[in-house]
Amino acid sequence: MQPHQYALAAGILWLLTLIVLPCLFAKARCRAYERGFADGKLAHQHTLKLQLQEARRDQEVLRAELEDTQRNCAQQLDARKARIAALKACIAELEARIMSYTGLAVTRADHDKLVVAADTLRLAQRTLTALKSEPQAARAGAQAEAIDDLAKRVHAQLRATPASAATAGAAA
């Protein structure tokens, strides 16, 4: 082969190389982009997996803290309920003590019995007056007046004392 043919073949090869090289560069660039994109996706997935594992650990820690807090709150609530029940029992006991100190010794039924006894003594007075037994009739009348006075004082005391839940049934 002649030197000019070599030069011409080298020029054609050079031109073919210049034509093919951009395609090869483009193809290599595409492959590099795809590899980089796949590697980036893989790295992103790995990062997300690590973040998810960390989030799950944090969630488990928070769940354990929540359970501890709920247990503590339940214990505190039970303790408060027990204290409230104890205080209510103490209040009821103190109210019973106060009512025993301020409560009346007589009830409405006692007042009614006094009124009936006074009426019976008046009947006895009228009967003794009809039988001409004046001293006993006078004594029965005086006792009837005394019982009426006592019944009036009991009635006044019953009206002056406010009825509470504990004594409302007894006073009524």
Side-chain angles (χ1 to χ4, degrees):
M1 230 195 234
Q2 299 297 326
H4 69 283
Q5 289 175 334
Y6 283 122
L8 199 63
I12 290 174
L13 278 175
W14 179 250
L15 283 176
L16 283 176
T17 306
L18 288 177
I19 291 173
V20 172
L21 271 179
C23 291
L24 291 176
F25 284 145
K27 194 165 196 167
R29 192 176 52 217
C30 249
R31 282 185 184 166
Y33 176 78
E34 287 173 1
R35 264 192 238 134
F37 187 76
D39 289 345
K41 238 182 176 177
L42 190 62
H44 186 65
Q45 286 177 351
H46 182 67
T47 304
L48 288 177
K49 187 186 288 185
L50 290 176
Q51 287 177 350
L52 183 62
Q53 287 174 351
E54 185 178 334
R56 285 184 179 156
R57 278 192 305 263
D58 291 343
Q59 183 182 17
E60 290 301 319
V61 167
L62 289 175
R63 186 171 286 134
E65 287 178 10
L66 177 64
E67 289 172 358
D68 288 342
T69 305
Q70 284 177 338
R71 251 184 271 118
N72 289 339
C73 287
Q75 288 173 351
Q76 289 175 356
L77 183 63
D78 292 341
R80 283 190 183 121
K81 284 181 180 178
R83 281 193 300 249
I84 288 171
L87 288 174
K88 283 184 179 180
C90 183
I91 288 171
E93 179 188 348
L94 291 174
E95 282 180 349
R97 282 186 189 174
I98 289 171
M99 289 310 295
S100 70
Y101 293 135
T102 60
L104 295 177
V106 292
T107 62
R108 176 78 176 154
D110 295 333
H111 174 262
D112 293 339
K113 288 178 185 176
L114 285 173
V115 170
V116 169
D119 286 340
T120 304
L121 283 174
R122 278 197 199 83
L123 177 63
Q125 178 188 14
R126 285 192 303 267
T127 304
L128 290 172
T129 304
L131 293 173
K132 307 279 189 225
S133 179
E134 287 300 322
Q136 288 83 8
R139 192 171 54 194
Q143 287 177 353
E145 288 298 322
I147 289 178
D148 271 339
D149 290 340
L150 180 61
K152 287 177 185 176
R153 286 195 303 261
V154 168
H155 183 67
Q157 187 67 30
L158 286 174
R159 292 189 127 227
T161 304
S164 68
T167 60

